[in-house]
Amino acid sequence: MANNTSHPFLDPLWRRVVLIGACAAWCVVELLYGTPMWATLVGAVTVYGAYAYLYAYTPSSRNTDKEG
């Protein structure tokens, strides 16, 4: 199975930042409710998402192939 993180919906930077921010907020909520296992899992998803969508993201090919 291929790992495809380049989707046209995620090309704008603000959408990727909102996605990572929502995951981080969810992690904080889990910590506040005293569930460290879920906070750890969501924190790991947040870290992976930050790497994949903010550091290693490449724009989709649909956005770069503009004809017309």
Side-chain angles (χ1 to χ4, degrees), residues 10-34:
L10 295 171
D11 282 344
L13 176 63
W14 70 268
R15 288 182 182 160
R16 292 179 276 141
V17 170
V18 168
L19 177 68
I20 301 307
C23 289
W26 182 16
C27 181
V28 169
V29 168
E30 294 296 344
L31 282 172
L32 292 175
Y33 277 97

Side-chain angles (χ1 to χ4, degrees), residues 32-47:
L32 292 175
Y33 277 97
T35 53
M37 182 196 72
W38 287 109
T40 303
L41 290 172
V42 176
V45 168
T46 303
V47 169

